[in-house]
Amino acid sequence: EAQVTQNPRYLITVTGKKLTVTCSQNMNHEYMSWYRQDPGLGLRQIYYSMNVEVTDKGDVPEGYKVSRKEKRNFPLILESPSPNQTSLYFCACKRDPWTGELFFGEGSRLTVL
Amino acid sequence: GQQLNQSPQSMFIQEGEDVSMNCTSSSIFNTWLWYKQDPGEGPVLLIALYKAGELTSNGRLTAQFGITRKDSFLNISASIPSDVGIYFCAGRHTDSWGKLQFGAGTQVVVTP
């Protein structure tokens, strides 16, 4: 079954405590991306990756890091989380970076106290 | 910057009613996509539109790519309780390499 798997699904943490949200896809897709969803703002892109070892900033990259060492994995790193990073995060992928539709994971709800 | 406005923000409808929502852009898009997000889940693609004027159906859902290429609408006919969720439009700008821009979403609540 084609899947985009995120972990953890839910996390409550404290300001400044580094955390990583993992994302793995089994569809062999080239392109992967992270979004955050906030009420009234829809989905905003944080970072994206066109291929292995190629990453770039999206619309709201501040406070986040990513890496793409292998095609299937695209972790999102919060080095020093702050309360304004409390949000619902989605990882997504698509076969062709230039076209095609995004497939989303189930989401990771992060609360930073 | 580019603006993508989705309306209405929320809808409370009775089972059996038809639903209509739309998205407008300040610039031309070459693709419109409509996604649905069930509570506690990630968005799932409902309909993809690639040509101006295109009208596409998926069961009780119908979406159209506006002739000006700056808007799209989604209709849901004869709503049922499982239609509840957030519906997002997304567009790909003509100058964009493939990046999607998302609307803020329309929350649909269906009452029996």
Side-chain angles (χ1 to χ4, degrees):
Chain A
E1 180 188 354
Q3 279 187 325
V4 180
T5 303
Q6 299 178 221
N7 278 296
R9 294 288 312 279
Y10 301 92
L11 179 64
I12 300 174
T13 189
V14 295
T15 298
K17 185 176 181 181
K18 179 180 178 180
L19 68 92
T20 299
V21 186
T22 64
C23 174
S24 181
Q25 51 103 354
N26 63 0
M27 292 175 271
N28 201 37
H29 283 185
E30 299 285 337
Y31 176 96
M32 297 186 73
S33 182
W34 277 101
Y35 291 84
R36 59 179 289 174
Q37 182 181 6
D38 302 290
L41 297 177
L43 292 156
R44 294 181 293 168
Q45 190 179 51
I46 303 171
Y47 268 94
Y48 65 92
S49 170
M50 302 278 270
N51 208 331
V52 175
E53 299 293 358
V54 180
T55 64
D56 208 347
K57 297 176 180 178
D59 297 317
V60 287
E62 294 78 20
Y64 305 95
K65 287 174 58 177
V66 293
S67 68
R68 187 90 182 275
K69 293 184 169 56
E70 48 190 340
K71 183 181 277 192
R72 65 182 293 125
N73 295 322
F74 191 45
L76 179 70
I77 303 158
L78 286 73
E79 293 273 3
S80 182
S82 61
N84 64 13
Q85 292 179 296
T86 292
S87 187
L88 178 58
Y89 292 87
F90 287 101
C91 180
C93 66
K94 57 179 174 174
R95 182 178 306 280
D96 181 350
W98 295 89
T99 60
E101 299 86 25
L102 282 171
F103 294 89
F104 285 87
E106 293 183 313
S108 297
R109 184 165 292 282
L110 171 65
T111 301
V112 183
L113 301 175
Chain B
Q2 300 168 27
Q3 295 287 326
L4 203 166
N5 298 309
Q6 183 171 351
S7 64
Q9 190 173 23
S10 61
M11 307 181 72
F12 293 81
I13 59 174
Q14 283 197 316
E15 187 174 353
E17 287 185 1
D18 295 344
V19 175
S20 185
M21 63 194 77
N22 70 84
C23 277
T24 59
S25 169
S26 58
S27 53
I28 292 173
F29 282 174
N30 59 20
T31 302
W32 283 99
L33 305 171
W34 285 93
Y35 284 85
K36 182 194 178 193
Q37 182 181 19
D38 288 326
E41 303 291 331
V44 174
L45 183 68
L46 298 174
I47 292 178
L49 303 160
Y50 299 105
K51 290 170 57 176
E54 181 180 355
L55 185 71
T56 298
S57 294
N58 178 6
R60 293 177 297 105
L61 307 176
T62 301
Q64 184 159 29
F65 194 140
I67 199 71
T68 65
R69 299 172 68 189
K70 292 185 178 182
D71 63 326
S72 177
F73 72 76
L74 175 70
N75 286 344
I76 306 172
S77 62
S79 58
I80 59 177
S82 62
D83 289 334
V84 67
I86 303 176
Y87 292 78
F88 290 102
C89 63
R92 183 156 40 236
H93 192 257
T94 52
D95 292 341
S96 161
W97 46 261
K99 177 181 175 180
L100 287 178
Q101 186 176 354
F102 283 86
T106 295
Q107 172 81 59
V108 172
V109 178
V110 181
T111 57

